[in-house]
Amino acid sequence: MDRQWKLVCKLKDVPLGGGVRLVPRGLAWQELPGVALFRTGEESVHAVLDCDSARRYSVKVEGMKVYLDLEELSAPASPAEAALAGRSGVATSMVAYSY
């Protein structure tokens, strides 16, 4: 099955050389950890769960835009997160923040 990609930001919005761009996950009341984007080269970006660098996300950089796999982004990151999400699931937000 082909992946569905979600546009999360422009490549220029991910700082090169140590900065992080945070992509929020979930609904506001769910208080879920975001996905941290790290730019490791001119067109190379890595994505991990903000509080758990072992949880990695698939990233695609195309046309100077950064995309995350929608299925991975929407899936609960832990059993506790699945319980918190409940029937609402994990909705994803389009807003991203730089630190």
Side-chain angles (χ1 to χ4, degrees):
M1 185 169 140
D2 290 333
R3 292 184 181 199
Q4 289 185 306
W5 296 98
K6 179 176 180 170
L7 174 64
V8 292
C9 66
K10 294 178 181 177
L11 183 61
K12 69 178 184 175
D13 296 333
V14 182
L16 181 60
V20 174
R21 176 127 181 137
L22 185 64
V23 178
R25 297 174 54 248
L27 303 171
W29 60 268
Q30 290 175 320
E31 297 181 16
L32 302 177
V35 175
L37 301 178
F38 299 91
R39 191 165 165 194
T40 56
E42 284 301 316
E43 293 189 26
S44 179
V45 176
H46 295 277
V48 297
L49 193 63
D50 189 34
C51 63
D52 179 9
S53 62
R55 170 76 189 242
R56 300 184 185 280
Y57 292 83
S58 300
V59 180
K60 176 173 83 167
V61 177
E62 184 175 274
M64 303 304 283
K65 295 178 182 169
V66 179
Y67 299 83
L68 293 176
D69 181 294
L70 184 58
E71 186 174 329
E72 292 177 4
L73 192 59
S74 299
S78 69
E81 190 174 288
L84 180 61
R87 289 182 28 206
S88 301
V90 178
T92 55
S93 175
M94 291 298 291
V95 182
Y97 304 96
S98 291
Y99 291 98

